[in-house]
Amino acid sequence: MKKYLMLFVFSLFLMNCNSDDSETISTTIETTLIGKGNLHGGSSQGVTQQNHLINDEADWNAILPIFDTVSHSFTETNIDFSMFTVIVAIDQVRPNGGHELDIAINSNSENVIVTVTDISPQGQATTVITQPYHIVKIPKNTLPVIFQ
């Protein structure tokens, strides 16, 4: 009886193992931090929650004025767009401090997936109105980019 039970369990195992070639393997794309922090001033700046993929200097120069008050802390502003793409994530205006954005970027054979996560404050937070942002650059890629 044990033989039949073992044979049955083994056959179930084999039936559940499949080699689905349609599965895509995801790899992490290394990012270089350009800037991360908070815009201050709340809605007076008129900046809405947004995500940008920037592939050229004209688009980069168009968005830089949003960051006039914080761009001095950027690691770089002269980007070689023949080699890199810039990803900009700006959160909604938050009524208190302690919020931040995190960006994780993965790719598979079909897409580059940018996952933007809001990290909420733990415990007490300041009552200053803030708007988190996160800016990174990645190596130039020809795959379509999807924000999540």
Side-chain angles (χ1 to χ4, degrees), residues 67-135:
F67 302 99
D68 273 348
T69 60
V70 293
S71 62
H72 63 279
S73 64
F74 285 3
T75 59
E76 61 183 299
T77 54
N78 295 320
I79 311 295
D80 180 357
F81 286 100
S82 67
M83 306 234 354
F84 297 100
T85 296
V86 173
I87 301 196
V88 177
I90 303 172
D91 199 5
Q92 65 189 1
V93 174
R94 300 291 180 162
N96 57 351
H99 289 270
E100 65 179 280
L101 291 182
D102 193 33
I103 293 178
I105 304 175
N106 295 294
S107 69
N108 56 38
S109 60
E110 299 173 0
N111 299 302
V112 172
I113 300 110
V114 178
T115 304
V116 180
T117 306
D118 172 46
I119 300 171
S120 298
Q122 300 297 315
Q124 292 189 356
T126 63
T127 56
V128 175
I129 295 174
T130 61
Q131 188 169 21
Y133 69 88
H134 193 163
I135 305 169

Side-chain angles (χ1 to χ4, degrees), residues 40-56:
H40 299 282
S43 57
S44 65
Q45 288 180 295
V47 180
T48 59
Q49 181 178 8
Q50 53 194 290
N51 297 317
H52 289 282
L53 180 68
I54 300 176
N55 287 306
D56 59 52

